Amino acid sequence: MPIFQFRTPRHRAQSSFRLGRTATLAVTAGALALSSVAPAQAAPAAAPQQLVSIQSQSGKAATIATAARNQLGVRQDCTALVTKALRAAGINHHGWPASYLGLGTRVSAAQARPGDLVYYANGGMGFAHIAVYIGGGKAVHGGWNGYRTVIDSVNVGSGPVYIRVR
């Protein structure tokens, strides 16, 4: 089964990818949808497409992790990174790093999975920090190394508090 990797252009709210002659994969606001399309000669031009939503709780986490990765290299602080990643999954929240603790349930490091948020009382620079866990002991951090968005260790500063977003 082929794996598709893509970046949604910043100027477009929706991207579509043709999967052969009979299916289309669409990404709108971070949600994935698969549509079935009959061959061109058999389907009328105005025929509605049936969409099947494939975003679930784990899909939400995958959307958050992917949206965070897609921001690598962007100049922004940690809260902007996480706000944009959450927005891709349909969650509208922006605030100080500690405010993100209320968006979910704390989980242990052993239970952490890609897409969980990571809160630090001290991110290593003397103030609170928020990031997105992507697995393998790594997180996407905003405001790092010249205010850039980068992948770095999840174990920084005061140590991670993992948050499973609801």
Side-chain angles (χ1 to χ4, degrees):
M1 169 180 263
I3 296 174
F4 296 92
Q5 293 183 333
F6 60 92
R7 276 192 170 178
T8 303
R10 290 189 176 125
H11 65 280
R12 295 183 60 189
Q14 178 175 351
S15 293
S16 296
F17 304 91
R18 189 92 170 161
L19 304 176
R21 292 175 27 193
T22 60
T24 300
L25 179 65
V27 181
T28 304
L32 296 174
L34 181 64
S35 63
S36 176
V37 180
Q41 63 271 25
Q49 297 177 350
Q50 293 182 342
L51 298 179
V52 178
S53 176
I54 58 174
Q55 184 174 8
S56 64
Q57 183 62 30
S58 62
K60 183 183 291 186
T63 298
I64 293 168
T66 298
R69 281 181 172 272
N70 285 344
Q71 297 177 66
L72 292 174
V74 174
R75 292 181 57 88
Q76 62 189 344
D77 69 11
C78 62
T79 59
L81 160 72
V82 176
T83 295
K84 292 173 189 173
L86 291 172
R87 190 177 304 134
I91 301 167
N92 187 21
H93 180 83
H94 183 74
W96 293 101
S99 70
Y100 292 85
L101 289 166
L103 294 179
T105 305
R106 292 181 190 195
V107 296
S108 70
Q111 295 170 315
R113 66 179 182 220
D116 287 344
L117 303 184
V118 190
Y119 170 76
Y120 305 86
N122 177 345
M125 293 177 261
F127 47 88
H129 179 64
I130 190 80
V132 177
Y133 184 63
I134 58 170
K138 302 289 185 185
V140 178
H141 299 272
W144 238 237
N145 301 331
Y147 224 56
R148 296 267 181 212
T149 301
V150 301
I151 294 175
D152 203 345
S153 174
V154 72
N155 296 308
V156 299
S158 59
V161 174
Y162 298 92
I163 307 148
R164 175 83 29 86
V165 177
R166 290 187 277 260

